[in-house]
Amino acid sequence: MAIYFIRHGQSEFNAAFNGKIDPMIFDPALTKLGLEQAESARVNILELGIDRVITSPFTRAIQTAKIMFDGISPIEVQLGHHELLLHSSDIGRHPSDLKESFPDLTFEHIPYSWWYKNSTYGSTIEKEPLELFKERISRFVVALDQIKNENIAIVGHGNAFKEILDLKLDNCQIHHFR
């Protein structure tokens, strides 16, 4: 059994954010570069024998998972390893909207507002408290311990993986977790 972490490709937010002013891009899609990063990474996953892919419900992660694994391994959307809510990009879309964009995936198990609950669309982003984020990521890691006899790819986000690995992954970097 092996678990691989893969950070999503470059998003519209990643390309626009200057580190200071939030460009207010909610649940951003991949850029042209992000799409190319995912295509390039697809070649590297073929030899890993991935049995199942788990992606966060953010559009950028789903796009990355589909580009890398469609036709190779089944993809499922799960909560727990989604991004720490710090910016507009970390506010997601409702499951019905995601289903319209990705009709081949299942979203019925995802709550209507699945990102940090006190957040709203608007000019002010209420950040997810760090202690809640750490607890959520800890629960996700415990759930990973239940995976047996499968090679799994987890497509997710920089801050979530940094919390687990103490390492910031590059866009579409594949990291062997265990």
Side-chain angles (χ1 to χ4, degrees):
M1 175 199 84
I3 298 175
Y4 297 91
F5 289 156
I6 304 168
R7 184 177 174 213
H8 61 79
Q10 182 193 60
S11 73
E12 294 168 348
F13 180 91
N14 295 144
F17 186 52
N18 64 9
K20 295 179 183 175
I21 299 172
D22 189 325
M24 301 307 285
I25 304 171
F26 294 88
D27 192 25
L30 295 179
T31 62
K32 182 176 186 270
L33 175 60
L35 296 168
E36 292 167 358
Q37 290 168 331
E39 283 287 343
S40 294
R42 181 179 171 98
V43 175
N44 298 322
I45 57 95
L46 295 175
E47 65 207 32
L48 301 179
I50 300 298
D51 299 305
R52 182 166 53 116
V53 178
I54 298 170
T55 183
S56 94
F58 282 114
T59 296
R60 59 199 181 267
I62 296 171
Q63 286 179 304
T64 300
K66 289 183 67 55
I67 291 167
M68 290 180 68
F69 292 99
D70 252 356
I72 296 172
S73 304
I75 300 169
E76 58 188 67
V77 180
Q78 288 189 17
L79 296 174
H81 68 294
H82 51 284
E83 187 61 285
L84 168 65
L85 199 160
L86 295 174
H87 306 287
S88 60
S89 62
D90 309 323
I91 295 177
R93 293 190 293 154
H94 301 295
S96 58
D97 295 332
L98 291 168
K99 186 69 173 173
E100 280 185 33
S101 297
F102 306 102
D104 57 322
L105 297 177
T106 301
F107 297 94
E108 289 76 19
H109 61 291
I110 305 292
Y112 185 73
S113 295
W114 50 267
W115 53 93
Y116 176 61
K117 299 289 189 237
N118 290 338
S119 62
T120 58
Y121 287 97
S123 59
T124 302
I125 306 299
E126 185 173 348
K127 296 178 179 177
E128 181 177 10
L130 192 55
E131 61 274 6
L132 294 180
F133 170 73
K134 289 177 178 267
E135 290 171 12
R136 172 167 57 83
I137 295 300
S138 179
R139 287 190 305 271
F140 180 75
V141 172
V142 168
L144 291 180
D145 291 337
Q146 306 306 309
I147 296 172
K148 307 288 185 217
N149 303 319
E150 287 183 290
N151 292 325
I152 304 289
I154 312 285
V155 180
H157 307 275
N159 287 317
F161 293 145
K162 185 174 182 192
E163 178 64 24
I164 298 167
L165 302 169
D166 197 29
L167 171 72
K168 188 82 169 190
L169 299 182
D170 292 329
N171 293 116
C172 287
Q173 181 178 344
I174 301 167
H175 178 85
H176 183 212
F177 175 56
R178 61 177 170 217

mmCIF file of all heavy atoms in Angstrom, residues 50-54 69 71-76 105:
data_model
loop_
_atom_site.group_PDB
_atom_site.id
_atom_site.type_symbol
_atom_site.label_atom_id
_atom_site.label_comp_id
_atom_site.label_asym_id
_atom_site.label_seq_id
_atom_site.Cartn_x
_atom_site.Cartn_y
_atom_site.Cartn_z
ATOM 1 N N ILE A 50 -1.940 3.394 -9.167
ATOM 2 C CA ILE A 50 -2.951 4.000 -8.295
ATOM 3 C C ILE A 50 -4.279 3.275 -8.464
ATOM 4 O O ILE A 50 -4.793 3.139 -9.574
ATOM 5 C CB ILE A 50 -3.109 5.505 -8.593
ATOM 6 C CG1 ILE A 50 -1.786 6.254 -8.378
ATOM 7 C CG2 ILE A 50 -4.246 6.124 -7.778
ATOM 8 C CD1 ILE A 50 -1.250 6.214 -6.975
ATOM 9 N N ASP A 51 -4.832 2.798 -7.345
ATOM 10 C CA ASP A 51 -6.123 2.102 -7.353
ATOM 11 C C ASP A 51 -7.303 3.051 -7.219
ATOM 12 O O ASP A 51 -8.396 2.762 -7.712
ATOM 13 C CB ASP A 51 -6.177 1.105 -6.183
ATOM 14 C CG ASP A 51 -5.101 0.045 -6.281
ATOM 15 O OD1 ASP A 51 -5.033 -0.624 -7.326
ATOM 16 O OD2 ASP A 51 -4.321 -0.105 -5.326
ATOM 17 N N ARG A 52 -7.080 4.166 -6.508
ATOM 18 C CA ARG A 52 -8.182 5.091 -6.222
ATOM 19 C C ARG A 52 -7.610 6.481 -5.990
ATOM 20 O O ARG A 52 -6.517 6.635 -5.446
ATOM 21 C CB ARG A 52 -8.917 4.605 -4.979
ATOM 22 C CG ARG A 52 -10.110 5.409 -4.567
ATOM 23 C CD ARG A 52 -10.969 4.661 -3.536
ATOM 24 N NE ARG A 52 -10.238 4.186 -2.388
ATOM 25 C CZ ARG A 52 -10.434 4.604 -1.140
ATOM 26 N NH1 ARG A 52 -11.354 5.503 -0.881
ATOM 27 N NH2 ARG A 52 -9.733 4.095 -0.137
ATOM 28 N N VAL A 53 -8.377 7.490 -6.406
ATOM 29 C CA VAL A 53 -7.981 8.888 -6.243
ATOM 30 C C VAL A 53 -9.005 9.576 -5.353
ATOM 31 O O VAL A 53 -10.215 9.435 -5.548
ATOM 32 C CB VAL A 53 -7.906 9.606 -7.606
ATOM 33 C CG1 VAL A 53 -7.532 11.078 -7.429
ATOM 34 C CG2 VAL A 53 -6.935 8.898 -8.535
ATOM 35 N N ILE A 54 -8.504 10.317 -4.378
ATOM 36 C CA ILE A 54 -9.358 11.119 -3.501
ATOM 37 C C ILE A 54 -8.990 12.573 -3.749
ATOM 38 O O ILE A 54 -7.820 12.953 -3.630
ATOM 39 C CB ILE A 54 -9.145 10.751 -2.019
ATOM 40 C CG1 ILE A 54 -9.525 9.293 -1.772
ATOM 41 C CG2 ILE A 54 -9.938 11.693 -1.110
ATOM 42 C CD1 ILE A 54 -9.126 8.763 -0.407
ATOM 43 N N PHE A 69 -5.935 11.518 -13.855
ATOM 44 C CA PHE A 69 -6.359 10.141 -13.583
ATOM 45 C C PHE A 69 -7.575 9.647 -14.371
ATOM 46 O O PHE A 69 -7.891 8.466 -14.286
ATOM 47 C CB PHE A 69 -6.639 9.981 -12.081
ATOM 48 C CG PHE A 69 -5.401 10.084 -11.243
ATOM 49 C CD1 PHE A 69 -5.077 11.264 -10.594
ATOM 50 C CD2 PHE A 69 -4.550 9.000 -11.115
ATOM 51 C CE1 PHE A 69 -3.928 11.364 -9.820
ATOM 52 C CE2 PHE A 69 -3.399 9.091 -10.343
ATOM 53 C CZ PHE A 69 -3.085 10.273 -9.701
ATOM 54 N N GLY A 71 -9.740 7.803 -16.775
ATOM 55 C CA GLY A 71 -9.428 6.641 -17.591
ATOM 56 C C GLY A 71 -8.354 5.743 -16.995
ATOM 57 O O GLY A 71 -8.038 4.703 -17.567
ATOM 58 N N ILE A 72 -7.788 6.140 -15.851
ATOM 59 C CA ILE A 72 -6.737 5.354 -15.217
ATOM 60 C C ILE A 72 -7.225 4.789 -13.881
ATOM 61 O O ILE A 72 -7.082 3.600 -13.608
ATOM 62 C CB ILE A 72 -5.465 6.205 -14.995
ATOM 63 C CG1 ILE A 72 -4.888 6.639 -16.334
ATOM 64 C CG2 ILE A 72 -4.434 5.444 -14.180
ATOM 65 C CD1 ILE A 72 -3.753 7.641 -16.225
ATOM 66 N N SER A 73 -7.786 5.658 -13.035
ATOM 67 C CA SER A 73 -8.218 5.266 -11.693
ATOM 68 C C SER A 73 -9.512 5.993 -11.347
ATOM 69 O O SER A 73 -9.719 7.129 -11.768
ATOM 70 C CB SER A 73 -7.153 5.646 -10.651
ATOM 71 O OG SER A 73 -5.910 5.078 -10.974
ATOM 72 N N PRO A 74 -10.400 5.349 -10.558
ATOM 73 C CA PRO A 74 -11.633 6.028 -10.139
ATOM 74 C C PRO A 74 -11.323 7.218 -9.224
ATOM 75 O O PRO A 74 -10.407 7.161 -8.406
ATOM 76 C CB PRO A 74 -12.420 4.951 -9.404
ATOM 77 C CG PRO A 74 -11.433 3.888 -9.063
ATOM 78 C CD PRO A 74 -10.302 3.993 -10.032
ATOM 79 N N ILE A 75 -12.116 8.271 -9.393
ATOM 80 C CA ILE A 75 -11.935 9.508 -8.630
ATOM 81 C C ILE A 75 -13.132 9.702 -7.715
ATOM 82 O O ILE A 75 -14.276 9.607 -8.160
ATOM 83 C CB ILE A 75 -11.799 10.714 -9.574
ATOM 84 C CG1 ILE A 75 -10.579 10.535 -10.494
ATOM 85 C CG2 ILE A 75 -11.718 12.029 -8.784
ATOM 86 C CD1 ILE A 75 -10.507 11.532 -11.631
ATOM 87 N N GLU A 76 -12.848 9.990 -6.447
ATOM 88 C CA GLU A 76 -13.923 10.319 -5.515
ATOM 89 C C GLU A 76 -13.611 11.640 -4.818
ATOM 90 O O GLU A 76 -12.449 11.965 -4.581
ATOM 91 C CB GLU A 76 -14.156 9.198 -4.503
ATOM 92 C CG GLU A 76 -12.972 8.840 -3.672
ATOM 93 C CD GLU A 76 -13.201 7.593 -2.826
ATOM 94 O OE1 GLU A 76 -13.340 6.497 -3.409
ATOM 95 O OE2 GLU A 76 -13.211 7.733 -1.589
ATOM 96 N N LEU A 105 -18.920 12.837 -11.526
ATOM 97 C CA LEU A 105 -18.508 12.619 -10.135
ATOM 98 C C LEU A 105 -19.706 12.725 -9.201
ATOM 99 O O LEU A 105 -20.720 13.324 -9.533
ATOM 100 C CB LEU A 105 -17.438 13.637 -9.723
ATOM 101 C CG LEU A 105 -16.121 13.552 -10.505
ATOM 102 C CD1 LEU A 105 -15.168 14.647 -10.051
ATOM 103 C CD2 LEU A 105 -15.476 12.182 -10.369
#
